[in-house]
Amino acid sequence: MNFQIAVLLGQDGVTNGAIYALLALSILLVFTVTRILLIPQGEFVTFGALTMAAIQSGKPTALGWLLLALVLIDCALDLRQMWKTGKQAGAMNYGEIKWSAIKIGYTAMLLVLLHSLTLADIPMLAQALLTLALVVPFGPILYRLFFQPIASAHSLVLLIVSIALHVAMVGIGLLLFGPEGARTAPFSDSGFRLGPVMLKSQTLWVILVSIALIVMLFIAFERTLYGKALRATAVNRMGARLMGISPVFAGKVTFAMATFIGALSGILIAPITTLYFDSGFIISLKGFVGAIIGGLASYPIAAIGAVAVGMVEAFSMFWASNYKEIIVFTLIIPFLLWRSLTSRHVEEEE
Amino acid sequence: MMNASELLLDVRQLRVAYGKVEALTGIDLRVPKGQIVTVIGPNGAGKTTLLSAIMGILPSKGEVHFDGRLQPVPEVEKLVGQGLGLVPEKRELFATMSVQDNLELGAFLRYRRGDRHLATTLAEVYSLFPRLFERRHQQAGTLSGGERQMLAIGRALMGKPQLLMLDEPSLGLAPLITREIFRIITDLRRQGVSILLVEQNARAALKVADYAYVLEGGAVAMEGPAAQLADDQRVIEAYLGLASKHQELLAS
Ligand SMILES: Nc1ncnc2c1ncn2[C@@H]1O[C@H](COP(=O)(O)OP(=O)(O)OP(=O)(O)O)[C@@H](O)[C@H]1O
Ligand SMILES: [Mg+2]
């Protein structure tokens, strides 16, 4: 191996590592706030990438119709709930109707946009925004439909539902996007020179956007009251409820963030890797390895661990490409061992 | 004595069961605006259960009217929004977050509704508890027992509640701080905050309260104006006399 190859591998490693770091943070965030291990995190990545690809090829995806269907179910449930509590209280609270109208209106607007624009010709930024506008609402809606009714159930139940949702979403991905892989156009064509090697500009995009997103997440959680409210839910659920921070609200917000991070990651890597309807799982699994290295508790360690996963993956590709995945996933074992040896029983905060 | 229009909290026939065991068997309780109402009773009488049920933490049967509105199924987040605050027995602080963050989160719902005057309330809470100001960057989990109590009360006050429910605010506190807490409770009433106070320290509670309930075995055993109950022979024997006898024993 010479320097040039090392730089190239490093470049791949950092690019993948940055994406894994984003996914690790997202998985961690969802887990601490809602106790849900978000297995479908990877599906948000593929949905983002494949929707972007479909839009670039000028096809309005059927994803919009799926969204409409889920929104309608969601609104029906909310309105029924409103009707039930309203009848008990003897007075209706019509706020739900306004919300339902907004949600349905938003979806209808997206559908109109999808079918009226010549999707292939609009600027790439607009394509990306449209993709996000289409994919991100799935997060809160999926939370509403599948997790909110069982929010206080045992973690194992949550995990089972999470796995079921993952399987269902892979199937739906196949139905919506077909079995072919897709790649999108890079954000910009220019490459640039670093010493003797050419770096791809997409690499820079991935790294810059990831760093920007991580910094934004950090600021949001350390400085804003909404971010603190999510942290508070993670620290003490009952305490948060007594402050009026509803677990439903926290769950929907974290799911929205998770889908946003996932879909954005998908858009970022779609020009570098060919993604298929079922590629999401293995990607998010590597983010998950990073999250485990962080002990499902520490955000910075998880991010660093995820970048390390990306590096190990890239270099093992060079030396032992057949064993690439195995090497990455065996990374977990020393960390689990180390954790179980060093962790003391921490007394429960009363 | 109590005009229905000025009732802030009106609880009727509240029942709570843990599995098959009935913890509350039909409680009627009222808190008028601007008053301190206390609930005293022996351990396991159901006082904490009562507050949890009113707040909507525990499922219950019966009616809870707050601020003139019937709460069909009391919902914590909604009640907090309407101005009901609870300082629970376990305090439920955000242990790994700073004192100041804890306080700011107390005003989360106000912030969410666009109220941006949190700094004023924060300053008021700090002037009420100067100790919290000294410790504002410390993690809540590392505070002393008394400081945690102060933080729990301060955090509840950040939400500007109309009715504050306190579950044993003097639990485990030194006499001097206990007196301070009770002074703050009377101060709060002067500022227009109504208070539902659950206390083991019956003597102090009856002294500051306007009205009192004695809870025994999940039912109201006695009720009346606090001053009247403080002179009642049964109350003196069960809750005041014993305490003083106990103290005499300790002193001798
Ligand atoms: N989660 C629970 N499951 C079963 N029984 C419970 C539960 N919580 C409380 N109880 C029982 O209900 C009764 C009332 O408890 P509660 O905590 O309301 O008493 P309390 O009046 O607050 O007592 P203390 O003064 O000791 O705080 C007790 O007998 C208690 O054992
Ligand atoms: Mg109690």
Side-chain angles (χ1 to χ4, degrees):
Chain A
M1 170 184 302
N2 60 25
F3 174 71
Q4 198 168 345
I5 294 177
V7 171
L8 277 177
L9 291 177
Q11 178 186 343
D12 276 359
V14 172
T15 323
N16 291 342
I19 296 295
Y20 301 154
L22 283 179
L23 299 182
L25 293 183
S26 173
I27 289 171
L28 215 54
L29 174 67
V30 172
F31 181 73
T32 50
V33 174
T34 63
R35 299 181 303 129
I36 298 166
L37 206 48
L38 192 61
I39 314 286
Q41 176 73 59
E43 273 59 68
F44 297 139
V45 178
T46 46
F47 273 44
L50 296 176
T51 305
M52 182 77 175
I55 287 180
Q56 284 195 348
S57 65
K59 282 180 288 195
T61 70
L63 198 62
W65 295 109
L66 179 63
L67 183 63
L68 183 66
L70 292 182
V71 164
L72 287 178
I73 298 175
D74 169 42
C75 290
L77 287 176
D78 280 353
L79 292 177
R80 200 189 68 172
Q81 181 68 31
M82 180 199 89
W83 175 254
K84 257 169 60 182
T85 52
K87 218 165 59 179
Q88 273 172 357
M92 287 289 168
N93 169 14
Y94 291 104
E96 277 319 323
I97 294 185
K98 195 183 78 186
W99 270 112
S100 298
I102 291 176
K103 283 189 271 193
I104 295 173
Y106 172 86
T107 318
M109 189 196 72
L110 271 184
L111 280 171
V112 169
L113 278 181
L114 275 177
H115 288 90
S116 62
L117 292 174
T118 42
L119 294 170
D121 298 336
I122 57 176
M124 193 174 300
L125 183 64
Q127 292 173 336
L129 288 179
L130 199 55
T131 306
L132 289 174
L134 204 53
V135 177
V136 173
F138 276 96
I141 288 189
L142 291 177
Y143 180 80
R144 164 73 183 88
L145 294 181
F146 300 111
F147 292 106
Q148 185 180 318
I150 53 161
S152 52
H154 194 276
S155 317
L156 193 60
V157 177
L158 297 177
L159 179 64
I160 292 170
V161 173
S162 186
I163 293 173
L165 189 59
H166 155 72
V167 174
M169 283 182 73
V170 171
I172 287 174
L174 176 61
L175 212 62
L176 289 179
F177 306 109
E180 307 87 27
R183 225 179 232 245
T184 59
F187 294 180
S188 52
D189 289 323
S190 59
F192 56 96
R193 218 159 238 304
L194 182 77
V197 278
M198 277 297 279
L199 291 186
K200 286 173 267 176
S201 66
Q202 192 66 26
T203 308
L204 207 63
W205 274 107
V206 172
I207 296 172
L208 286 182
V209 174
S210 309
I211 292 178
L213 205 57
I214 289 174
V215 169
M216 265 160 52
L217 281 177
F218 177 79
I219 293 175
F221 278 84
E222 287 298 317
R223 300 273 181 273
T224 72
L225 200 55
Y226 278 96
K228 287 177 190 172
L230 291 185
R231 267 168 65 208
T233 309
V235 174
N236 187 328
R237 199 171 300 267
M238 179 51 74
R241 286 185 70 194
L242 289 175
M243 301 302 108
I245 307 165
S246 91
V248 169
F249 168 78
K252 283 184 179 171
V253 173
T254 37
F255 266 63
M257 291 174 92
T259 17
F260 177 76
I261 293 175
L264 189 63
S265 306
I267 295 174
L268 282 174
I269 54 168
I272 323 178
T273 19
T274 309
L275 289 173
Y276 299 85
F277 69 97
D278 60 352
S279 311
F281 184 59
I282 209 83
I283 298 178
S284 70
L285 208 52
K286 286 171 191 160
F288 181 60
V289 173
I292 295 225
I293 293 176
L296 279 179
S298 160
Y299 288 83
I301 299 179
I304 295 169
V307 173
V309 169
M311 286 305 223
V312 169
E313 184 190 17
F315 281 90
S316 54
M317 183 112 95
F318 179 74
W319 278 305
S321 76
N322 285 341
Y323 299 104
K324 169 184 115 169
E325 313 287 11
I326 299 176
I327 294 177
V328 168
F329 292 121
T330 13
L331 263 186
I332 298 188
I333 295 173
F335 278 100
L336 287 180
L337 270 180
W338 175 66
R339 292 220 150 257
S340 74
L341 290 179
T342 55
S343 76
R344 283 158 295 146
H345 176 70
V346 187
E347 202 149 321
E348 203 52 6
E349 216 332 86
E350 58 136 34
Chain B
M1 172 210 129
M2 287 182 207
N3 184 338
S5 69
E6 53 182 19
L7 277 185
L8 193 50
L9 179 71
D10 187 359
V11 176
R12 294 183 203 156
Q13 285 302 307
L14 194 72
R15 294 167 172 277
V16 175
Y18 292 111
K20 281 197 183 121
V21 187
E22 286 237 295
L24 295 181
T25 54
I27 304 277
D28 289 302
L29 178 141
R30 277 166 292 277
V31 181
K33 270 196 180 119
Q35 294 206 0
I36 300 179
V37 172
T38 186
V39 177
I40 57 176
N43 291 124
K47 305 182 296 293
T48 301
T49 306
L50 174 65
L51 295 193
S52 306
I54 294 174
M55 197 71 208
I57 299 170
L58 283 177
S60 59
K61 291 204 187 82
E63 288 180 9
V64 174
H65 299 257
F66 180 66
D67 201 12
R69 261 176 286 187
L70 170 65
Q71 311 291 331
V73 189
E75 268 178 67
V76 183
E77 295 84 16
K78 240 184 229 160
L79 281 164
V80 175
Q82 288 173 26
L84 184 60
L86 170 66
V87 176
E89 198 172 27
K90 290 183 177 163
R91 308 303 173 225
E92 311 285 8
L93 297 174
F94 305 122
T96 54
M97 300 174 80
S98 73
V99 167
Q100 176 132 355
D101 282 352
N102 269 271
L103 289 175
E104 284 176 6
L105 282 165
F108 174 76
L109 265 195
R110 286 174 57 204
Y111 183 85
R112 196 176 167 190
R113 291 183 178 156
D115 182 349
R116 295 293 128 100
H117 306 292
L118 309 187
T120 337
T121 325
L122 191 62
E124 281 167 22
V125 169
Y126 278 146
S127 70
L128 216 52
F129 302 103
R131 181 73 75 87
L132 291 183
F133 183 70
E134 289 165 28
R135 307 265 154 185
R136 64 188 179 282
H137 298 305
Q138 194 173 324
Q139 279 202 353
T142 62
L143 293 175
S144 81
E147 289 163 348
R148 294 163 57 119
Q149 230 92 314
M150 295 177 197
L151 179 56
I153 298 175
R155 188 179 66 169
L157 288 178
M158 286 296 293
K160 289 215 163 178
Q162 296 189 66
L163 173 62
L164 185 58
M165 304 196 289
L166 298 166
D167 200 343
E168 306 203 20
S170 72
L171 189 74
L173 293 189
L176 216 59
I177 305 194
T178 305
R179 206 176 309 156
E180 182 67 13
I181 297 267
F182 277 99
R183 190 188 59 72
I184 287 168
I185 290 172
T186 31
D187 264 9
L188 288 176
R189 172 177 49 187
R190 208 165 302 136
Q191 293 167 21
V193 183
S194 316
I195 287 169
L196 180 56
L197 174 68
V198 162
E199 257 299 335
Q200 289 292 343
N201 191 338
R203 190 179 298 275
L206 289 176
K207 203 181 275 174
V208 297
D210 300 295
Y211 200 82
Y213 291 82
V214 177
L215 207 61
E216 277 171 13
V220 175
M222 257 187 279
E223 63 174 293
Q228 203 173 309
L229 276 197
D231 290 336
D232 187 283
Q233 202 51 42
R234 269 192 61 200
V235 175
I236 292 176
E237 265 172 31
Y239 302 104
L240 306 176
L242 265 185
S244 56
K245 206 183 272 175
H246 184 64
Q247 269 158 14
E248 273 165 32
L249 276 178
L250 278 182
S252 65

